[in-house]
Amino acid sequence: MKVLFATSECVPFVKTGGLADVVGALPKELLQEGTDVRVILPPYKAIDQKWRDRMEHVLYFYVNLGWRHQYVGILKTVYEGVTFYFVDNEQYFGRDYIYGMGGDEGERFAFFCRAVLEALSKIDFIPDVLHCNDWQTGLIPVLLTAQYKQLELYKNIKTVYTIHNLQYQGIFPIGHIEEMLSLGDWAYTSDNLEFFGMCSFMKGGLVFADEITTVSPTYAQEIQTAYYGERLDGLLRTRLDHLSGILNGIDTADYDPEKDINIPVHYTSDTFEKKVENKLALQQELGLTVDANTPLIGMVTRLSGQKGLDLVECVLNEIMSTGAQLVVLGMGESKYVDLFSWAQWKYAGQVAARFEMNASLSHRIYAACDMFLMPSMFEPCGLSQLISLRYGTLPITRETGGLRDTVLAYNAYTGEGNGFTFLNYNAHDMLHVIEQAVAMYTNDRELFNTIARRAMHGLYGWDQSAHKYQALYDKLAGVDPEKAPAEAEQTPAEAEKPAPKKRAPRKKAEPAAEAKETAAEAKPAPKKRAPRKKADEAPEAEAKPKKPRTRKKAEEPKAE
């Protein structure tokens, strides 16, 4: 089994969010399953020189993007047994930023999608499954279906498309994308790429991928509703039979309080009393009042409205009235930078904020804090709550997405639970739970520490999820389920979810002969996809696959 991950970021090379952690950790687990797994991504200027020094130049070629004739260099390195390829082009990736500050974002990642497909035959790696991640790779399944499937080398490639955050969809002027990729009028069809008069990279991936996954079972259900669906809920409902939620994990070797090189004092659940020494060290480092008995709440987060920071703003004074200290690490919207800068001045010695990406400091925060606050408006999976549990730092979370799948509220009657949760997106509901957690820490430290020790024993790694991804790849490639690796035992939270629908395994195709043609400028082939089953609910207008429609002018979508 050969699998290629296409991604816009990956640790340890470049990271702006959880996508990088996922693509950095999951391939290593799949490698243990016996899969030949590789990763391809851009070599941004931001990648540290120590990693650039390890990259070797493999080959180069050119691709056409409309009238543009663009250079593609392929670099390669091996890290922890996984082969990484880098699609080099200084014009697009030799910049001081990763995303979002140029007017050519659509062109940058249209180039990347084209270059990935063109590179496959040249690097001598034709995968059984091409696993695409988020909007930046959304056009790969589109181009594969429209222009490459007629080539012998490409005809048996299957695609998996993973939604890490549906809110970011890659929406650009459709005429510009059509011209660059030579898609013709085909692109304008509402069954393909057209999205309210624009082109959506995300929609392309959702329509044309063989299987769609997202990063938690609850989020897979939520995005089929209008509230969470970001105008794609109708399309997602039509693809329900090919949509599943597989919970993310964390790299348990990197996040290990017994061996973490970033924290002052190592500890385990058996030596939990040593954890407080990390708190004292962090209080000293950040200028907080040094006191072992003061409850310390941490937040390591992107500073955006999605993360529930408006709730914190509403009741910040009341949170400070509990006597707890608050430490915040993150970068993002200026209004939240201003908020926590002001709070650091207003509550000197009680609030500390650092506006940077600092992995080492984040480890010290996870290890030092008693509680970890994540009041997200929505959260596809979330990794911070898993890391905090691993360090015996009890999460305070809203019951949404992956937070609901991983954090179970403490139940005083049964003694079960590993944290504190609230349901409604409401500042005072959040405040009530914070007050409950602080009261337990202050008045019943033994119970609080018992829950924290138990939290440290949870299963937060990738082993179980890797089994599920492997089973999905096997199904796509037509591997006999009886010969495929058995799925790992479900966690209690997963066991409550309905089992995914099963399809008969496909017949394995004959090995592909080497192709001589090129598809760089090929026109789209007529679609030959099997008709989809009708969903129980009526899909959105742009998601109907059978009935051809004329384009309607609609409201301009908001810029990302």
Side-chain angles (χ1 to χ4, degrees):
M1 170 72 68
K2 294 188 290 185
V3 177
L4 180 66
F5 277 77
T7 180
S8 59
E9 58 184 84
C10 176
V11 295
F13 308 105
V14 60
K15 173 182 175 178
T16 67
L19 167 61
D21 291 303
V22 172
V23 182
L26 178 55
K28 291 189 292 186
E29 289 293 334
L30 293 169
L31 197 65
Q32 302 302 315
E33 301 273 338
T35 300
D36 183 357
V37 57
R38 307 185 189 186
V39 181
I40 190 165
L41 69 155
Y44 304 101
K45 183 179 178 182
I47 294 177
D48 194 275
Q49 189 61 42
K50 71 177 182 179
W51 298 116
R52 289 184 169 278
D53 291 341
R54 295 179 54 164
M55 299 177 191
E56 62 172 303
H57 177 81
V58 178
L59 54 88
Y60 74 92
F61 56 94
Y62 290 85
V63 296
N64 293 328
L65 291 180
W67 55 265
R68 309 156 195 81
H69 193 56
Q70 301 289 35
Y71 169 88
V72 181
I74 300 296
L75 310 177
K76 175 183 175 182
T77 191
V78 177
Y79 176 70
E80 295 187 342
V82 179
T83 298
F84 292 86
Y85 298 103
F86 298 87
V87 176
D88 187 26
N89 181 290
E90 284 293 308
Q91 177 182 338
Y92 294 130
F93 305 123
R95 307 180 183 188
D96 294 328
Y97 55 86
I98 308 301
Y99 307 126
M101 296 180 68
D104 62 347
E105 284 294 277
E107 182 176 332
R108 292 175 79 203
F109 289 101
F111 163 80
F112 178 67
C113 292
R114 170 71 79 197
V116 167
L117 287 168
E118 287 289 327
L120 297 183
S121 61
K122 297 172 177 61
I123 61 176
D124 195 27
F125 186 74
I126 303 297
D128 298 298
V129 177
L130 224 174
H131 191 147
C132 305
N133 294 271
D134 261 355
W135 75 261
Q136 293 88 352
T137 63
L139 292 184
I140 291 178
V142 176
L143 293 172
L144 181 65
T145 301
Q147 297 177 344
Y148 288 80
K149 279 288 189 178
Q150 66 267 33
L151 302 180
E152 195 67 25
L153 278 178
Y154 291 80
K155 70 178 184 180
N156 295 321
I157 297 176
K158 304 299 181 184
T159 51
V160 173
Y161 184 72
T162 295
I163 306 165
H164 295 266
N165 192 332
L166 192 65
Q167 189 175 57
Y168 301 101
Q169 298 181 10
I171 298 176
F172 305 101
I174 193 166
H176 187 47
I177 303 302
E178 177 276 319
E179 178 267 333
M180 282 191 298
L181 299 177
S182 304
L183 292 170
D185 291 341
W186 180 89
Y188 292 93
T189 307
S190 61
D191 286 349
N192 298 330
L193 294 179
E194 189 273 335
F195 185 69
F196 294 93
M198 301 286 277
C199 168
S200 168
F201 281 45
M202 175 74 76
K203 180 183 175 184
L206 298 180
V207 170
F208 289 98
D210 294 295
E211 291 289 335
I212 303 166
T213 70
T214 190
V215 290
S216 71
T218 294
Y219 192 59
Q221 297 297 319
E222 288 177 342
I223 59 177
Q224 296 175 51
T225 67
Y227 184 78
Y228 292 99
E230 302 290 344
R231 300 189 296 177
L232 288 168
D233 50 295
L235 170 58
L236 288 162
R237 288 193 296 270
T238 68
R239 300 228 58 198
L240 178 60
D241 288 346
H242 302 283
L243 171 64
S244 57
I246 302 177
L247 194 65
N248 280 344
I250 61 172
D251 188 331
T252 52
D254 188 28
Y255 295 105
D256 184 357
E258 186 176 8
K259 301 175 183 177
D260 192 339
I261 62 174
N262 298 289
I263 66 176
V265 180
H266 295 149
Y267 62 97
T268 67
S269 61
D270 295 327
T271 59
F272 189 76
E273 65 279 0
K274 294 183 179 180
K275 177 177 167 68
V276 71
E277 297 179 45
N278 291 293
K279 178 200 285 190
L280 297 172
L282 187 70
Q283 289 172 329
Q284 181 71 37
E285 177 184 353
L286 299 182
L288 297 170
T289 301
V290 179
D291 183 354
N293 292 316
T294 298
L296 181 59
I297 301 173
M299 297 185 77
V300 178
T301 181
R302 177 164 42 87
L303 302 181
S304 76
Q306 175 203 332
K307 299 300 182 178
L309 299 181
D310 52 333
L311 302 187
V312 177
E313 181 178 16
C314 283
V315 294
L316 182 58
N317 184 62
E318 289 87 341
I319 294 173
M320 295 296 97
S321 297
T322 65
Q325 294 176 339
L326 177 66
V327 56
V328 179
L329 173 65
M331 297 174 66
E333 298 174 28
S334 59
K335 67 177 181 179
Y336 297 118
V337 172
D338 292 343
L339 168 67
F340 290 114
S341 296
W342 171 84
Q344 190 170 222
W345 166 81
K346 173 71 174 176
Y347 303 101
Q350 197 177 359
V351 175
R354 297 293 183 270
F355 308 111
E356 57 184 302
M357 295 179 67
N358 189 326
S360 178
L361 178 56
S362 73
H363 283 243
R364 295 196 292 279
I365 291 173
Y366 288 121
C369 289
D370 303 297
M371 289 153 270
F372 194 89
L373 181 60
M374 289 185 72
S376 303
M377 179 183 294
F378 65 93
E379 194 65 59
C381 178
L383 298 179
S384 291
Q385 82 279 11
L386 299 176
I387 300 169
S388 66
L389 288 165
R390 174 84 165 147
Y391 283 79
T393 299
L394 296 185
I396 301 171
T397 64
R398 180 168 172 260
E399 295 175 16
T400 183
L403 301 178
R404 183 175 182 177
D405 292 324
T406 54
V407 181
L408 304 177
Y410 171 70
N411 188 316
Y413 297 98
T414 65
E416 297 174 329
N418 60 3
F420 306 90
T421 71
F422 62 102
L423 178 59
N424 296 316
Y425 192 71
N426 179 281
H428 286 86
D429 284 9
M430 177 191 72
L431 175 64
H432 174 71
V433 174
I434 293 173
E435 291 172 338
Q436 179 187 15
V438 170
M440 182 187 291
Y441 179 87
T442 304
N443 302 323
D444 197 344
R445 187 75 57 81
E446 184 177 349
L447 174 59
F448 189 95
N449 290 347
T450 297
I451 300 171
R453 287 190 182 96
R454 183 169 65 217
M456 294 180 71
H457 288 286
L459 301 175
Y460 309 121
W462 272 104
D463 48 352
Q464 297 183 80
S465 297
H467 280 297
K468 295 175 183 176
Y469 276 111
Q470 187 63 58
L472 184 64
Y473 301 152
D474 289 341
K475 180 178 76 170
L476 282 173
V479 175
D480 187 345
E482 294 182 2
K483 296 180 182 178
E487 283 198 25
E489 189 173 321
Q490 290 181 309
T491 62
E494 289 170 335
E496 297 178 1
K497 302 292 179 185
K501 298 180 182 179
K502 294 184 178 179
R503 293 185 303 160
R506 295 176 185 166
K507 199 170 183 180
K508 191 167 184 180
E510 293 296 321
E514 184 171 351
K516 297 180 181 178
E517 310 94 310
T518 178
E521 293 295 303
K523 293 292 180 183
K527 290 187 290 182
K528 296 182 180 179
R529 292 178 290 143
R532 303 187 189 109
K533 293 181 181 179
K534 268 190 179 177
D536 293 331
E537 296 182 60
E540 300 267 333
E542 75 274 13
K544 294 182 181 178
K546 296 181 180 179
K547 192 174 180 180
R549 298 177 60 88
T550 57
R551 288 182 289 137
K552 292 195 292 185
K553 189 171 181 181
E555 58 181 353
E556 291 290 323
K558 294 180 182 178
E560 290 185 37

